[in-house]
Amino acid sequence: MNKKRLLFSAAMILLLGMVLGACGEKKTGDKKGKDGKIKLLSMATGGTGGTYYPLGRDIANMIQDATGIETKAITSNGSIENMKLIKKEKVEIAFTQTDIATYASEGTMMFKNKKVGNMSGLGILYPESIQLVTLEKSGIKSVEDLKGKTVSIGEAESGTRANAEQILEIYGLKADDLKSRYLSFDDSATGIQDGTIDAAFITAGTPTGAVEGLAATEKLLIVPIDADKIDALIAKYPYYIKETIPTGTYGSDHDIETVAVPAMLVVRSELTNKLVYDMTKAIFENTNKIVHAKGKSIKAENALNGMGTDLHPGAKKYFDEKGVSSK
């Protein structure tokens, strides 16, 4: 074997060792320093046009200030994906709808045989309104009018999609009765504006950024849910609550009756009690630092109402100190 071949062989062995070493490293969930302490917290939120992401950035900053641990809000498709990210240990904190969190913790519905067993609740935040958005000129006045129309029912792994399918069900419709699209809030708003879709389901805290942007250039209609259908929906799916989108939202001249599901934060169960206590305290005692209008709805006294998952002991300690219990 000549000198060049020996050098080549040595280089290949060195390269192979580096590759094997890299393969042996933890690719996800390995955010601890040599001292074993967490150095980075990741928070799964939603799309940039919704409520989770802008709210998540503020909350991430609050957690970072309180704990000294770098905390980052990351975008995602929403609640269902966020639960999967928790299960895969890709993130430590996640926004989700309470219905989706319950399905995940029980291993039911879209999580059948895929239970997320490493998740605990931190606290309920605010109600998320189910908004069926269209243009006044579309001619769509009710859910029944969606039949045969091109409608965004939410991204594939979003809570919005689950909500849309359940509301359609109560009206005797299925996603197949529509020309269903699976779009983000921003893409839904763009689609309504350019006429490629007729309407969109959007589950988010109001006002929702993507819808506000659309309302700035178009005359919108938020389609109401009929009272009898609201009652039927809540009877079958008790995670829903009645909700009124008030006059003036998106330029509306009247209240809009619909339903909502509470938004909540969950954490990986393995996080220490002290860390989760500090996080919980930072959030519920600094809501004045939240820029989004929904910050006003985040109150410790409401943080346990409707939670369908086990509460993390660190969060429980905080709420016990505040004298908060579920109602």
Side-chain angles (χ1 to χ4, degrees):
M1 184 178 290
N2 60 34
K3 186 175 182 180
K4 286 185 177 180
R5 187 168 295 178
L6 280 170
L7 289 171
F8 177 79
S9 299
M12 290 302 295
I13 290 170
L14 177 62
L15 178 61
L16 180 61
M18 291 171 65
V19 170
L20 291 173
C23 290
E25 293 174 0
K26 292 182 180 179
K27 296 297 185 182
T28 61
D30 188 20
K31 302 172 183 177
K32 296 180 180 180
K34 292 180 180 179
D35 59 1
K37 294 182 179 179
I38 291 177
K39 301 296 183 183
L40 173 66
L41 293 169
S42 295
M43 175 188 294
T45 61
T48 56
T51 304
Y52 286 174
Y53 182 68
L55 197 62
R57 286 184 303 180
D58 289 340
I59 290 176
N61 289 335
M62 288 151 54
I63 291 173
Q64 182 168 306
D65 289 345
T67 65
I69 301 172
E70 183 181 4
T71 307
K72 292 190 175 295
I74 62 173
T75 59
S76 74
N77 288 342
S79 295
I80 296 174
E81 183 185 14
N82 290 354
M83 296 300 90
K84 293 179 179 180
L85 291 172
I86 287 280
K87 182 174 183 177
K88 294 176 182 177
E89 300 185 355
K90 300 264 190 180
V91 299
E92 288 71 45
I93 317 162
F95 279 78
T96 183
Q97 298 170 192
T98 54
D99 54 338
I100 303 302
T102 302
Y103 300 148
S105 65
E106 293 176 345
T108 56
M109 297 291 284
M110 70 286 294
F111 289 96
K112 187 175 182 180
N113 300 321
K114 299 175 183 178
K115 181 178 178 178
V116 180
N118 63 335
M119 171 189 70
S120 298
L122 183 148
I124 302 292
L125 299 177
Y126 60 88
E128 293 197 279
S129 304
I130 285 76
Q131 305 163 73
L132 177 50
V133 184
T134 189
L135 299 182
E136 276 197 350
K137 62 185 180 183
S138 71
I140 297 172
K141 303 296 182 184
S142 69
V143 175
E144 290 102 326
D145 294 334
L146 297 178
K147 188 172 184 179
K149 301 289 187 181
T150 304
V151 182
S152 172
I153 62 171
E155 293 184 277
E157 296 195 316
S158 67
T160 296
R161 180 176 176 182
N163 301 146
E165 291 176 341
Q166 289 166 353
I167 289 171
L168 290 171
E169 175 193 350
I170 293 300
Y171 278 86
L173 296 171
K174 297 180 179 178
D176 290 345
D177 294 321
L178 287 53
K179 296 173 185 175
S180 295
R181 300 290 183 267
Y182 307 95
L183 306 177
S184 69
F185 296 164
D186 282 330
D187 289 343
S188 292
T190 300
I192 291 173
Q193 186 173 38
D194 63 23
T196 55
I197 66 172
D198 300 302
F201 283 91
I202 291 179
T203 301
T206 56
T208 308
V211 186
E212 281 189 305
L214 182 60
T217 60
E218 303 285 349
K219 187 64 175 175
L220 299 187
L221 174 68
I222 307 298
V223 178
I225 309 297
D226 297 301
D228 62 326
K229 301 299 185 183
I230 289 176
D231 292 340
L233 184 69
I234 293 173
K236 185 163 187 179
Y237 301 105
Y239 311 104
Y240 290 98
I241 57 175
K242 294 181 180 180
E243 176 78 351
T244 299
I245 301 174
T247 301
T249 307
Y250 312 127
S252 173
D253 59 3
H254 60 278
D255 289 348
I256 302 153
E257 301 306 318
T258 184
V259 291
V261 288
M264 68 181 292
L265 282 175
V266 299
V267 296
R268 279 173 38 195
S269 302
E270 69 188 53
L271 296 186
T272 67
N273 293 353
K274 182 182 186 308
L275 176 57
V276 177
Y277 172 88
D278 290 343
M279 289 164 51
T280 308
K281 184 175 182 178
I283 294 167
F284 287 95
E285 295 192 2
N286 291 281
T287 55
N288 61 306
K289 296 180 181 179
I290 296 175
V291 175
H292 194 281
K294 278 300 174 187
K296 296 178 181 177
S297 301
I298 301 175
K299 301 179 185 298
E301 58 263 35
N302 300 325
L304 302 182
N305 296 336
M307 184 179 293
T309 59
D310 291 336
L311 186 65
H312 192 284
K316 184 178 185 302
K317 179 184 176 184
Y318 172 76
F319 292 121
D320 284 348
E321 289 177 359
K322 300 290 288 186
V324 176
S325 59
S326 58
K327 299 176 182 176

